[in-house]
Amino acid sequence: MTIGFLITRDGYKDDIIGLTKAAVKKGLNVILFMMDDGTRHSQDKDIVALMGLNGVTMSLCDHSAKLRNVIEIPEGCAAGSQYQNSVMNQDADKVILI
């Protein structure tokens, strides 16, 4: 089973980390997609470290990131478009908006 997290807001760091780790612990795959103010999370080392967990992938909306001066995209995080959001919505069994 795969769960998607659509991250659109700055903040909620502890929730993102806690929910992701809990899902992985239960054997779920996790897709993290950041857009709007949520792209700022790509600059947080603790959020980025989630990609090291088995079954976790991360991507962000490059357009949203550029509008917020988020320039450095972490290695392993796909900088794409709303296409990645649509893929997450297609591939995930459940999607949670954060």
Coordinates of all heavy atoms in Angstrom, one line a residue:
M1 N 0.8 -1.2 0.0 CA 0.0 0.0 0.0 C 0.9 1.2 0.0 O 2.0 1.3 0.6 CB -0.9 0.0 1.2 CG -1.9 1.1 1.3 SD -3.1 0.9 2.6 CE -4.2 2.3 2.2
T2 N 0.4 2.3 -0.7 CA 1.2 3.5 -0.8 C 0.3 4.7 -0.3 O -0.9 4.8 -0.6 CB 1.6 3.8 -2.2 OG1 2.4 2.7 -2.7 CG2 2.3 5.1 -2.4
I3 N 0.9 5.5 0.5 CA 0.3 6.7 1.0 C 1.0 8.0 0.5 O 2.2 8.0 0.4 CB 0.2 6.8 2.6 CG1 -0.7 7.9 3.1 CG2 1.6 6.8 3.2 CD1 -1.1 7.7 4.5
G4 N 0.3 9.0 0.1 CA 0.9 10.2 -0.4 C 0.6 11.3 0.5 O -0.5 11.4 1.1
F5 N 1.6 12.2 0.7 CA 1.5 13.4 1.4 C 1.6 14.6 0.5 O 2.7 14.8 0.0 CB 2.5 13.5 2.6 CG 2.3 12.4 3.6 CD1 3.3 11.5 3.9 CD2 1.1 12.3 4.3 CE1 3.1 10.5 4.9 CE2 0.9 11.3 5.3 CZ 1.9 10.4 5.6
L6 N 0.6 15.4 0.4 CA 0.6 16.6 -0.4 C 0.9 17.7 0.6 O 0.1 18.1 1.4 CB -0.7 16.8 -1.2 CG -0.8 18.1 -1.9 CD1 0.3 18.3 -3.0 CD2 -2.2 18.2 -2.6
I7 N 2.1 18.2 0.5 CA 2.6 19.2 1.5 C 2.5 20.6 0.8 O 3.3 20.9 -0.1 CB 4.0 18.9 2.0 CG1 4.0 17.5 2.5 CG2 4.5 19.9 3.0 CD1 5.4 16.9 2.7
T8 N 1.6 21.4 1.3 CA 1.4 22.7 0.7 C 1.7 23.9 1.6 O 1.6 25.1 1.2 CB -0.1 22.9 0.2 OG1 -1.0 22.9 1.3 CG2 -0.5 21.8 -0.8
R9 N 2.0 23.6 2.8 CA 2.2 24.7 3.8 C 3.6 24.5 4.5 O 4.1 23.5 4.7 CB 1.2 24.5 4.9 CG -0.2 24.6 4.4 CD -1.2 24.4 5.5 NE -2.5 24.2 4.9 CZ -3.6 23.8 5.5 NH1 -3.5 23.6 6.8 NH2 -4.7 23.7 4.9
D10 N 4.1 25.7 4.9 CA 5.3 25.7 5.7 C 4.9 25.4 7.1 O 3.7 25.7 7.5 CB 5.9 27.1 5.7 CG 7.3 27.2 6.1 OD1 7.9 26.1 6.3 OD2 7.9 28.3 6.2
G11 N 5.7 24.7 7.9 CA 5.3 24.3 9.2 C 4.9 22.8 9.2 O 5.1 22.1 8.2
Y12 N 4.5 22.3 10.3 CA 4.0 20.9 10.4 C 5.1 19.9 10.2 O 4.9 18.8 9.9 CB 2.9 20.6 9.4 CG 1.7 21.5 9.6 CD1 1.5 22.6 8.8 CD2 0.8 21.3 10.6 CE1 0.4 23.5 9.0 CE2 -0.3 22.2 10.8 CZ -0.5 23.2 10.0 OH -1.5 24.1 10.2
K13 N 6.4 20.4 10.5 CA 7.5 19.5 10.3 C 7.4 18.2 11.1 O 7.6 17.1 10.6 CB 8.8 20.3 10.8 CG 10.0 19.4 10.8 CD 11.2 20.2 11.3 CE 12.4 19.3 11.5 NZ 13.6 20.1 11.9
D14 N 7.0 18.3 12.4 CA 6.9 17.2 13.3 C 5.9 16.2 12.8 O 6.0 15.0 12.9 CB 6.7 17.6 14.7 CG 7.8 18.3 15.4 OD1 9.0 18.1 14.9 OD2 7.6 19.0 16.3
D15 N 4.8 16.8 12.2 CA 3.7 15.9 11.7 C 4.2 15.1 10.4 O 3.9 14.0 10.3 CB 2.5 16.8 11.3 CG 1.9 17.4 12.5 OD1 1.7 16.8 13.5 OD2 1.6 18.7 12.4
I16 N 4.9 15.8 9.6 CA 5.4 15.2 8.3 C 6.3 14.1 8.7 O 6.2 12.9 8.2 CB 6.1 16.2 7.4 CG1 5.1 17.3 6.9 CG2 6.8 15.5 6.3 CD1 5.7 18.5 6.3
I17 N 7.3 14.3 9.6 CA 8.2 13.3 10.0 C 7.5 12.2 10.7 O 7.8 11.0 10.4 CB 9.3 13.9 10.9 CG1 10.2 14.9 10.0 CG2 10.2 12.9 11.5 CD1 11.1 15.7 10.8
G18 N 6.7 12.5 11.7 CA 6.0 11.4 12.4 C 5.1 10.5 11.6 O 5.1 9.3 11.7
L19 N 4.3 11.2 10.7 CA 3.4 10.4 9.8 C 4.2 9.5 8.9 O 3.9 8.4 8.6 CB 2.5 11.3 9.1 CG 1.4 12.0 9.9 CD1 0.7 13.1 9.1 CD2 0.3 10.9 10.3
T20 N 5.3 10.1 8.3 CA 6.1 9.3 7.4 C 6.8 8.1 8.1 O 6.7 7.0 7.6 CB 7.2 10.2 6.7 OG1 6.6 11.3 6.0 CG2 8.1 9.4 5.8
K21 N 7.4 8.3 9.2 CA 8.0 7.2 9.9 C 7.0 6.2 10.4 O 7.3 5.0 10.3 CB 8.8 7.8 11.1 CG 10.1 8.5 10.7 CD 10.8 9.0 11.9 CE 12.2 9.6 11.5 NZ 13.0 10.0 12.7
A22 N 5.8 6.6 10.8 CA 4.8 5.6 11.2 C 4.3 4.8 10.0 O 4.1 3.6 10.2 CB 3.6 6.4 11.8
A23 N 4.2 5.4 8.9 CA 3.7 4.7 7.7 C 4.8 3.7 7.3 O 4.5 2.5 7.0 CB 3.4 5.7 6.5
V24 N 6.1 4.1 7.3 CA 7.1 3.2 6.9 C 7.2 2.0 7.9 O 7.4 0.9 7.5 CB 8.5 3.9 6.8 CG1 9.7 3.0 6.7 CG2 8.5 4.9 5.6
K25 N 7.0 2.3 9.2 CA 7.1 1.3 10.2 C 6.0 0.2 9.9 O 6.2 -1.0 10.2 CB 6.9 1.9 11.6 CG 7.1 0.9 12.7 CD 7.0 1.6 14.0 CE 7.3 0.7 15.2 NZ 7.2 1.3 16.5
K26 N 4.9 0.6 9.4 CA 3.8 -0.3 9.1 C 3.9 -1.0 7.7 O 3.1 -1.7 7.3 CB 2.4 0.4 9.1 CG 2.0 0.8 10.5 CD 0.6 1.3 10.5 CE 0.1 1.6 11.9 NZ -0.5 0.4 12.5
G27 N 5.1 -0.7 7.1 CA 5.3 -1.3 5.8 C 4.8 -0.6 4.6 O 4.7 -1.2 3.5
L28 N 4.3 0.6 4.7 CA 3.8 1.4 3.6 C 4.8 2.1 2.8 O 5.9 2.5 3.4 CB 2.7 2.4 4.1 CG 1.6 1.8 4.9 CD1 0.7 3.0 5.4 CD2 0.8 0.9 4.1
N29 N 4.6 2.3 1.6 CA 5.4 3.2 0.8 C 4.9 4.6 1.0 O 3.7 4.8 1.1 CB 5.4 2.8 -0.7 CG 6.1 1.5 -1.0 OD1 7.1 1.2 -0.5 ND2 5.4 0.6 -1.7
V30 N 5.7 5.6 0.9 CA 5.3 7.0 1.1 C 5.8 7.8 -0.1 O 7.0 7.8 -0.4 CB 5.9 7.5 2.4 CG1 5.5 9.0 2.6 CG2 5.3 6.7 3.6
I31 N 4.9 8.6 -0.6 CA 5.3 9.6 -1.6 C 5.1 11.0 -1.0 O 4.0 11.3 -0.6 CB 4.4 9.5 -2.9 CG1 4.6 8.1 -3.5 CG2 4.8 10.5 -3.9 CD1 3.5 7.8 -4.6
L32 N 6.1 11.8 -1.0 CA 6.0 13.2 -0.5 C 6.1 14.1 -1.7 O 7.0 14.1 -2.5 CB 7.2 13.5 0.5 CG 7.3 12.6 1.7 CD1 8.6 12.9 2.4 CD2 6.1 12.9 2.7
F33 N 5.1 15.0 -1.9 CA 5.1 16.0 -2.9 C 4.9 17.3 -2.3 O 3.9 17.5 -1.6 CB 4.0 15.7 -4.0 CG 4.1 16.8 -5.1 CD1 5.0 16.8 -6.0 CD2 3.1 17.8 -5.1 CE1 5.1 17.8 -7.0 CE2 3.1 18.8 -6.0 CZ 4.1 18.8 -7.0
M34 N 5.8 18.2 -2.5 CA 5.7 19.6 -2.0 C 5.4 20.6 -3.0 O 6.0 20.6 -4.1 CB 7.1 19.9 -1.3 CG 7.4 19.0 -0.1 SD 9.1 19.3 0.5 CE 10.0 18.2 -0.6
M35 N 4.5 21.5 -2.7 CA 4.2 22.6 -3.6 C 3.9 23.9 -2.8 O 3.8 23.8 -1.5 CB 3.0 22.3 -4.5 CG 1.7 22.0 -3.8 SD 0.4 21.5 -4.9 CE -0.2 23.1 -5.4
D36 N 3.7 25.0 -3.4 CA 3.4 26.2 -2.7 C 4.4 26.4 -1.6 O 5.6 26.2 -1.7 CB 2.0 26.3 -2.2 CG 1.0 26.2 -3.4 OD1 1.3 26.6 -4.5 OD2 -0.1 25.7 -3.2
D37 N 4.0 26.9 -0.4 CA 4.9 27.1 0.7 C 5.5 25.8 1.2 O 6.6 25.9 1.9 CB 4.2 27.9 1.9 CG 3.9 29.3 1.5 OD1 4.5 29.9 0.6 OD2 3.0 29.9 2.2
G38 N 5.0 24.7 0.9 CA 5.5 23.4 1.3 C 6.9 23.1 0.8 O 7.6 22.3 1.3
T39 N 7.2 23.8 -0.3 CA 8.5 23.6 -0.9 C 9.7 24.0 0.0 O 10.8 23.5 -0.2 CB 8.7 24.3 -2.3 OG1 8.5 25.7 -2.1 CG2 7.7 23.8 -3.3
R40 N 9.4 24.8 0.9 CA 10.4 25.2 1.9 C 10.9 24.1 2.7 O 12.0 24.1 3.2 CB 9.9 26.4 2.8 CG 9.7 27.6 2.0 CD 9.3 28.8 2.9 NE 9.1 30.0 2.1 CZ 8.0 30.6 2.0 NH1 6.9 30.2 2.6 NH2 7.9 31.7 1.2
H41 N 10.1 23.0 2.9 CA 10.5 21.8 3.6 C 11.7 21.1 3.0 O 12.4 20.4 3.6 CB 9.4 20.9 3.8 CG 8.3 21.3 4.8 ND1 8.6 21.4 6.1 CD2 7.1 21.7 4.6 CE1 7.5 21.8 6.7 NE2 6.6 22.0 5.8
S42 N 11.9 21.4 1.7 CA 13.0 20.7 1.0 C 14.4 21.2 1.5 O 15.4 20.7 1.1 CB 12.9 20.9 -0.5 OG 13.1 22.3 -0.9
Q43 N 14.4 22.3 2.2 CA 15.6 22.9 2.8 C 15.9 22.4 4.2 O 16.9 22.8 4.8 CB 15.5 24.4 2.7 CG 15.2 25.0 1.4 CD 16.1 24.5 0.3 OE1 17.3 24.9 0.3 NE2 15.7 23.6 -0.6
D44 N 15.0 21.6 4.7 CA 15.1 21.1 6.1 C 15.8 19.7 6.1 O 15.3 18.8 5.5 CB 13.8 21.0 6.8 CG 13.8 20.7 8.2 OD1 14.3 19.5 8.6 OD2 13.5 21.5 9.1
K45 N 17.0 19.6 6.8 CA 17.7 18.4 6.7 C 17.0 17.2 7.3 O 17.1 16.1 6.8 CB 19.1 18.6 7.4 CG 19.0 18.9 8.9 CD 20.4 19.0 9.5 CE 20.3 19.3 11.0 NZ 19.5 18.4 11.8
D46 N 16.1 17.4 8.3 CA 15.3 16.3 8.9 C 14.3 15.8 7.9 O 14.0 14.6 7.9 CB 14.7 16.8 10.2 CG 15.8 17.2 11.3 OD1 16.8 16.5 11.3 OD2 15.5 18.1 12.0
I47 N 13.6 16.7 7.2 CA 12.7 16.3 6.2 C 13.4 15.6 5.0 O 12.9 14.5 4.6 CB 11.9 17.5 5.6 CG1 11.1 18.2 6.8 CG2 11.0 17.1 4.5 CD1 9.8 17.5 7.2
V48 N 14.5 16.1 4.6 CA 15.2 15.5 3.5 C 15.7 14.1 3.9 O 15.7 13.2 3.1 CB 16.4 16.4 3.1 CG1 17.3 15.7 2.1 CG2 15.9 17.7 2.5
A49 N 16.1 13.9 5.1 CA 16.6 12.6 5.6 C 15.5 11.5 5.5 O 15.9 10.3 5.4 CB 17.0 12.7 7.1
L50 N 14.2 11.9 5.4 CA 13.2 10.9 5.2 C 13.4 10.1 3.9 O 13.0 8.9 3.8 CB 11.8 11.6 5.2 CG 11.4 12.2 6.5 CD1 10.1 13.0 6.3 CD2 11.2 11.2 7.6
M51 N 14.1 10.7 2.9 CA 14.3 9.9 1.7 C 15.2 8.7 1.9 O 15.3 7.8 1.1 CB 14.9 10.8 0.6 CG 14.0 11.8 0.0 SD 14.6 12.7 -1.4 CE 15.9 13.7 -0.6
G52 N 15.9 8.7 3.0 CA 16.8 7.6 3.4 C 16.0 6.4 3.9 O 16.6 5.3 4.0
L53 N 14.7 6.6 4.2 CA 13.9 5.5 4.7 C 13.4 4.6 3.5 O 13.1 5.1 2.4 CB 12.7 6.0 5.5 CG 13.0 6.9 6.7 CD1 11.7 7.4 7.3 CD2 13.7 6.0 7.7
N54 N 13.3 3.3 3.8 CA 12.9 2.4 2.7 C 11.5 2.7 2.3 O 10.6 2.8 3.1 CB 13.0 1.0 3.3 CG 12.8 -0.1 2.2 OD1 13.2 0.1 1.1 ND2 12.1 -1.2 2.6
G55 N 11.3 2.9 1.0 CA 10.0 3.1 0.4 C 9.5 4.6 0.4 O 8.4 4.8 0.0
V56 N 10.4 5.5 0.7 CA 10.0 6.9 0.7 C 10.6 7.6 -0.6 O 11.8 7.6 -0.8 CB 10.5 7.7 1.9 CG1 10.2 9.2 1.9 CG2 9.8 7.0 3.2
T57 N 9.8 8.3 -1.3 CA 10.2 9.2 -2.4 C 9.7 10.6 -2.2 O 8.7 10.8 -1.5 CB 9.7 8.7 -3.8 OG1 8.3 8.7 -3.8 CG2 10.2 7.3 -4.1
M58 N 10.5 11.6 -2.8 CA 10.1 13.0 -2.6 C 10.3 13.7 -3.9 O 11.2 13.5 -4.6 CB 11.1 13.5 -1.5 CG 10.8 15.0 -1.1 SD 12.0 15.6 0.1 CE 11.7 14.5 1.5
S59 N 9.3 14.6 -4.1 CA 9.4 15.5 -5.2 C 8.8 16.8 -4.9 O 8.1 17.0 -3.9 CB 8.8 14.9 -6.5 OG 7.4 14.6 -6.3
L60 N 9.0 17.8 -5.7 CA 8.4 19.1 -5.5 C 8.1 19.8 -6.8 O 8.6 19.5 -7.9 CB 9.3 20.0 -4.6 CG 10.7 20.3 -5.0 CD1 10.8 21.4 -6.1 CD2 11.5 20.8 -3.8
C61 N 7.3 20.8 -6.7 CA 6.9 21.6 -7.9 C 8.0 22.7 -8.0 O 8.2 23.6 -7.2 CB 5.6 22.3 -7.6 SG 5.1 23.5 -9.0
D62 N 8.7 22.6 -9.1 CA 9.8 23.5 -9.4 C 9.4 24.9 -9.5 O 10.0 25.9 -9.0 CB 10.6 23.1 -10.7 CG 11.8 23.8 -10.9 OD1 12.7 23.9 -10.0 OD2 12.0 24.4 -12.0
H63 N 8.2 25.2 -10.1 CA 7.7 26.5 -10.2 C 7.4 27.1 -8.9 O 7.8 28.3 -8.6 CB 6.4 26.5 -11.1 CG 5.7 27.8 -11.2 ND1 6.2 28.8 -12.1 CD2 4.6 28.3 -10.7 CE1 5.4 29.8 -12.0 NE2 4.4 29.6 -11.2
S64 N 6.7 26.4 -8.0 CA 6.5 26.9 -6.6 C 7.8 27.2 -5.9 O 7.9 28.2 -5.2 CB 5.7 25.8 -5.8 OG 4.4 25.7 -6.3
A65 N 8.8 26.3 -6.1 CA 10.0 26.5 -5.4 C 10.7 27.8 -5.8 O 11.2 28.6 -5.0 CB 10.9 25.3 -5.6
K66 N 10.7 28.0 -7.1 CA 11.4 29.2 -7.6 C 10.7 30.5 -7.2 O 11.4 31.5 -6.9 CB 11.4 29.2 -9.2 CG 12.5 28.2 -9.7 CD 12.4 28.1 -11.2 CE 13.5 27.1 -11.7 NZ 13.4 26.8 -13.1
L67 N 9.4 30.5 -7.1 CA 8.6 31.6 -6.6 C 9.0 32.0 -5.2 O 8.8 33.1 -4.7 CB 7.1 31.4 -6.7 CG 6.6 31.4 -8.2 CD1 5.1 31.1 -8.1 CD2 6.8 32.8 -8.8
R68 N 9.4 31.0 -4.4 CA 9.8 31.1 -3.0 C 11.3 31.1 -2.7 O 11.7 31.0 -1.6 CB 9.1 30.0 -2.2 CG 7.6 30.3 -2.1 CD 6.8 29.1 -1.9 NE 5.3 29.4 -1.9 CZ 4.6 29.6 -3.0 NH1 5.1 29.3 -4.2 NH2 3.3 29.9 -2.9
N69 N 12.0 31.3 -3.8 CA 13.5 31.4 -3.7 C 14.1 30.1 -3.1 O 15.2 30.2 -2.5 CB 14.0 32.6 -3.0 CG 13.6 33.9 -3.7 OD1 13.7 34.0 -4.9 ND2 13.1 34.9 -2.9
V70 N 13.5 29.0 -3.3 CA 14.0 27.7 -3.0 C 14.9 27.2 -4.2 O 14.3 26.8 -5.2 CB 12.9 26.7 -2.6 CG1 13.6 25.3 -2.3 CG2 12.1 27.2 -1.4
I71 N 16.2 27.4 -4.1 CA 17.0 27.2 -5.2 C 17.7 25.8 -5.2 O 17.8 25.1 -6.2 CB 18.0 28.3 -5.4 CG1 17.3 29.6 -5.6 CG2 19.0 28.1 -6.5 CD1 18.1 30.9 -5.4
E72 N 18.2 25.5 -4.0 CA 19.0 24.2 -3.9 C 18.0 23.0 -3.6 O 17.3 23.0 -2.6 CB 20.0 24.3 -2.7 CG 21.1 25.2 -3.0 CD 22.2 25.1 -2.0 OE1 22.5 23.9 -1.6 OE2 22.8 26.1 -1.7
I73 N 17.9 22.2 -4.6 CA 17.0 21.0 -4.5 C 17.9 19.8 -4.1 O 19.0 19.5 -4.6 CB 16.4 20.7 -5.9 CG1 15.7 21.9 -6.5 CG2 15.5 19.5 -5.8 CD1 14.6 22.5 -5.6
P74 N 17.5 19.2 -3.0 CA 18.3 18.1 -2.4 C 18.5 16.9 -3.4 O 17.6 16.7 -4.2 CB 17.5 17.6 -1.2 CG 16.5 18.6 -1.0 CD 16.3 19.4 -2.2
E75 N 19.6 16.3 -3.4 CA 19.9 15.1 -4.2 C 18.8 14.1 -3.9 O 18.5 13.8 -2.7 CB 21.3 14.6 -3.9 CG 21.6 13.5 -4.9 CD 23.1 13.0 -4.7 OE1 23.9 13.8 -4.3 OE2 23.3 11.9 -5.0
G76 N 18.2 13.5 -4.9 CA 17.2 12.5 -4.7 C 15.8 13.0 -4.7 O 14.8 12.2 -4.8
C77 N 15.6 14.3 -4.6 CA 14.3 14.9 -4.6 C 14.1 15.4 -6.1 O 14.8 16.2 -6.6 CB 14.2 16.1 -3.7 SG 12.6 17.0 -3.7
A78 N 13.0 14.9 -6.7 CA 12.7 15.3 -8.1 C 12.1 16.7 -8.1 O 11.1 16.9 -7.5 CB 11.8 14.3 -8.7
A79 N 12.7 17.6 -8.9 CA 12.2 18.9 -9.1 C 11.4 18.9 -10.4 O 12.0 18.8 -11.5 CB 13.3 20.0 -9.1
G80 N 10.1 18.8 -10.3 CA 9.3 18.7 -11.5 C 8.2 19.7 -11.6 O 8.3 20.9 -11.3
S81 N 7.0 19.1 -11.8 CA 5.8 20.0 -12.0 C 4.6 19.3 -11.4 O 4.8 18.4 -10.6 CB 5.6 20.2 -13.5 OG 5.2 18.9 -14.1
Q82 N 3.5 19.8 -11.7 CA 2.2 19.2 -11.2 C 2.0 17.8 -11.7 O 1.2 17.1 -11.3 CB 1.0 20.1 -11.5 CG 1.0 21.4 -10.6 CD 1.0 21.1 -9.2 OE1 0.2 20.3 -8.7 NE2 1.8 21.8 -8.4
Y83 N 2.8 17.5 -12.7 CA 2.8 16.1 -13.2 C 3.1 15.1 -12.1 O 2.5 14.1 -11.9 CB 3.7 15.9 -14.4 CG 3.8 14.5 -14.8 CD1 2.8 13.9 -15.6 CD2 4.9 13.7 -14.5 CE1 2.9 12.6 -16.0 CE2 5.0 12.3 -14.9 CZ 3.9 11.8 -15.6 OH 4.0 10.5 -16.0
Q84 N 4.1 15.4 -11.3 CA 4.5 14.6 -10.1 C 3.4 14.5 -9.1 O 3.1 13.4 -8.6 CB 5.8 15.1 -9.5 CG 7.1 14.7 -10.1 CD 7.3 15.5 -11.4 OE1 6.8 16.6 -11.6 NE2 8.1 14.8 -12.3
N85 N 2.6 15.6 -9.0 CA 1.5 15.5 -8.1 C 0.4 14.6 -8.6 O -0.2 13.8 -7.9 CB 0.9 17.0 -7.9 CG -0.2 17.1 -6.9 OD1 -0.5 16.2 -6.2 ND2 -0.9 18.2 -7.0
S86 N 0.2 14.7 -9.9 CA -0.9 13.8 -10.5 C -0.4 12.3 -10.5 O -1.3 11.5 -10.2 CB -1.2 14.2 -12.0 OG -0.1 14.0 -12.8
V87 N 0.8 12.1 -10.6 CA 1.3 10.7 -10.5 C 1.2 10.2 -9.1 O 0.7 9.0 -8.9 CB 2.8 10.6 -11.0 CG1 3.4 9.3 -10.6 CG2 3.0 10.9 -12.5
M88 N 1.5 11.0 -8.1 CA 1.3 10.6 -6.7 C -0.2 10.3 -6.5 O -0.5 9.3 -5.9 CB 1.7 11.7 -5.8 CG 1.4 11.4 -4.3 SD 1.7 12.8 -3.1 CE 0.4 13.9 -3.6
N89 N -1.1 11.1 -7.0 CA -2.5 10.9 -6.8 C -3.0 9.6 -7.5 O -3.9 9.0 -7.0 CB -3.4 12.1 -7.2 CG -3.4 13.2 -6.2 OD1 -4.1 13.1 -5.2 ND2 -2.5 14.2 -6.4
Q90 N -2.4 9.3 -8.6 CA -2.7 8.0 -9.3 C -2.1 6.8 -8.6 O -2.8 5.8 -8.4 CB -2.1 8.1 -10.7 CG -2.3 6.8 -11.5 CD -3.7 6.5 -11.8 OE1 -4.6 7.3 -12.0 NE2 -4.1 5.2 -11.8
D91 N -0.9 6.9 -8.1 CA -0.2 5.8 -7.5 C -0.5 5.5 -6.0 O -0.4 4.4 -5.6 CB 1.3 5.9 -7.7 CG 1.8 5.9 -9.1 OD1 1.0 5.5 -10.0 OD2 2.9 6.3 -9.4
A92 N -0.9 6.5 -5.3 CA -1.2 6.4 -3.9 C -2.6 5.8 -3.6 O -3.5 6.2 -4.3 CB -1.0 7.7 -3.2
D93 N -2.7 5.0 -2.7 CA -4.0 4.4 -2.3 C -4.8 5.5 -1.5 O -6.0 5.5 -1.5 CB -3.8 3.1 -1.4 CG -3.1 2.1 -2.2 OD1 -3.8 1.6 -3.2 OD2 -2.0 1.7 -2.0
K94 N -4.0 6.3 -0.7 CA -4.6 7.4 0.1 C -3.7 8.6 0.0 O -2.5 8.4 -0.1 CB -4.7 7.0 1.6 CG -5.5 5.8 1.9 CD -7.0 6.1 1.8 CE -7.8 4.8 2.2 NZ -9.1 4.9 2.0
V95 N -4.3 9.8 0.0 CA -3.5 11.0 -0.1 C -3.9 11.9 1.1 O -5.1 12.1 1.3 CB -3.6 11.8 -1.4 CG1 -2.9 13.1 -1.4 CG2 -3.1 10.9 -2.6
I96 N -3.0 12.4 1.8 CA -3.3 13.3 2.9 C -2.7 14.7 2.6 O -1.5 14.8 2.2 CB -2.7 12.8 4.3 CG1 -3.3 11.4 4.6 CG2 -2.8 13.8 5.4 CD1 -2.7 10.7 5.8
L97 N -3.5 15.7 2.8 CA -3.1 17.1 2.6 C -2.5 17.6 3.9 O -3.2 17.6 4.9 CB -4.2 17.9 2.1 CG -4.0 19.4 1.9 CD1 -2.9 19.7 0.9 CD2 -5.3 20.1 1.6
I98 N -1.3 18.1 3.8 CA -0.6 18.7 5.0 C -0.4 20.2 4.7 O 0.2 20.5 3.7 CB 0.7 18.0 5.4 CG1 0.4 16.6 5.7 CG2 1.3 18.7 6.5 CD1 1.6 15.7 5.9

